[in-house]
Amino acid sequence: MKGIVLAGGSGTRLYPTSLAVSKQLIPVYDKPTIYYPLSTLMLAGIRDILIISTPADLPQFKRLFGDGSALGLTLDYAEQPEPNGLAEAFIIGADHIGDDQVALVLGDNIFHGQGFSGLLQETARSIDGCVLFGYPVHDPERYGVGEVGADGRLISIEEKPARPRSDRAITGLYFYDNDVIDIAKNLRPSARGELEITDVNLRYLAEGRARLVELGRGFTWLDTGTPESLLTASQFVHVMESRQQVRIACLEEVALRMGFIDAQACRRLGERLGKSGYGRYVVEVAEAAS
């Protein structure tokens, strides 16, 4: 399975901060926002990943990650000059996906929960159509909402419904089979001129090939698209890391645990980060694994 992190957009809800820097590079507590969705793909066992962003912001991501080899990854980069909708990622990334399946994650989404890696890997092994991830919310009218039948198949998908049929918000993590490329290429732009991800999902729904995996008790899903949600996410990460003494979305640790790199390589990455608390943590993780 290939991975895509969609890290484009103008981040208007975060102005003026995002006028100067990509919203996916703004810190969530102790690391750039993009670390969180990138770690999600890594936890799914995905090592071949495309980062899509604006022409202005791509050089910053390249400076941060390079070709990904230090983390045992293969990272490529592609431009999305205008925010033409999430589904455009499959057209931009068609060559990257090739004949494979693909996981798309939005660059401002944070997922955290016990057993998440196992759930992702199990889901990736059984893709037939599309798999969406649902999360219970108290205000589903603000989200795309999925209604699920007894067999886990999606019955309906509604975008910001006035009267939601369920409280399961559809998160910014999507797994698809290879048909998604052709589906995206044949979409009609919405009234806003965008290729909507909901239209992709509705196509799979009409074919009876859309499934929802519920992220229930013990899981946390956050996005960081507003100053308030960015602060909430930072507070959450701070509290969890302070109490558990484990860093969330530490890419070096994830790469080590997933077998992408060895302890020696992990230690070198930690030492490169100098005397920061994050760097010291990476060195400690490497020493414990040696």
Side-chain angles (χ1 to χ4, degrees):
M1 174 175 274
K2 303 291 179 59
I4 296 177
V5 180
L6 187 55
S10 53
T12 55
R13 293 182 297 168
L14 287 169
Y15 280 1
T17 303
S18 54
L19 286 171
V21 62
S22 166
K23 67 178 181 178
Q24 288 86 12
L25 292 173
I26 295 172
V28 172
Y29 183 50
D30 58 351
K31 61 190 76 70
T33 297
I34 195 173
Y35 273 46
Y36 298 88
L38 183 56
S39 73
T40 295
L41 296 182
M42 293 169 66
L43 288 170
I46 299 171
R47 303 177 69 169
D48 198 343
I49 298 169
L50 177 69
I51 295 176
I52 298 176
S53 190
T54 66
D57 292 329
L58 272 180
Q60 300 175 71
F61 291 110
K62 291 179 180 179
R63 179 183 177 188
L64 180 61
F65 296 124
D67 64 3
S69 59
L71 292 168
L73 305 176
T74 299
L75 294 182
D76 291 304
Y77 300 88
E79 295 181 358
Q80 186 184 37
E82 301 293 336
N84 293 325
L86 306 186
E88 190 182 36
F90 305 114
I91 300 174
I92 295 171
D95 290 341
H96 168 74
I97 299 168
D99 297 326
D100 215 333
Q101 301 170 330
V102 61
L104 171 68
V105 63
L106 303 188
D108 61 358
N109 274 221
I110 296 174
F111 298 87
H112 179 66
Q114 187 72 27
F116 191 37
S117 180
L119 174 65
L120 292 173
Q121 293 176 53
E122 180 182 355
T123 302
R125 287 192 291 267
S126 57
I127 302 295
D128 177 21
C130 82
V131 179
L132 311 178
F133 293 81
Y135 187 80
V137 295
H138 68 276
D139 50 353
E141 65 278 359
R142 294 180 53 233
Y143 302 90
V145 176
E147 179 187 11
V148 182
D151 60 354
R153 296 283 173 177
L154 277 161
I155 298 172
S156 69
I157 300 172
E158 299 177 289
E159 191 66 29
K160 297 181 180 179
R163 297 180 179 178
R165 297 182 182 180
S166 84
D167 65 349
R168 291 326 191 247
I170 295 173
T171 70
L173 176 63
Y174 316 85
F175 285 10
Y176 296 98
D177 65 14
N178 196 257
D179 292 344
V180 72
I181 298 174
D182 287 335
I183 291 173
K185 287 180 177 178
N186 288 290
L187 285 182
R188 289 185 177 181
S190 67
R192 299 185 300 175
E194 297 182 0
L195 301 179
E196 304 285 355
I197 197 79
T198 298
D199 291 337
V200 172
N201 298 335
L202 286 172
R203 171 69 179 274
Y204 280 105
L205 177 69
E207 297 175 355
R209 297 197 297 136
R211 184 163 62 93
L212 189 77
V213 172
E214 297 197 21
L215 304 176
R217 291 178 63 87
F219 280 92
T220 298
W221 168 56
L222 302 165
D223 69 50
T224 59
T226 66
E228 294 80 10
S229 60
L230 189 65
L231 176 61
T232 297
S234 291
Q235 291 171 331
F236 169 78
V237 173
H238 177 219
V239 169
M240 294 299 291
E241 291 188 352
S242 297
R243 291 182 177 179
Q244 298 181 354
Q245 298 299 302
V246 173
R247 292 188 182 251
I248 298 172
C250 175
L251 299 183
E252 296 81 0
E253 181 176 18
V254 174
L256 177 62
R257 304 297 187 209
M258 295 297 297
F260 298 169
I261 61 175
D262 59 22
Q264 186 177 7
C266 184
R267 183 185 179 90
R268 286 196 299 268
L269 290 172
E271 290 173 343
R272 190 182 66 179
L273 295 170
K275 297 180 179 179
S276 68
Y278 185 98
R280 290 195 299 271
Y281 175 82
V282 172
V283 170
E284 291 169 1
V285 166
E287 289 177 345
S290 297

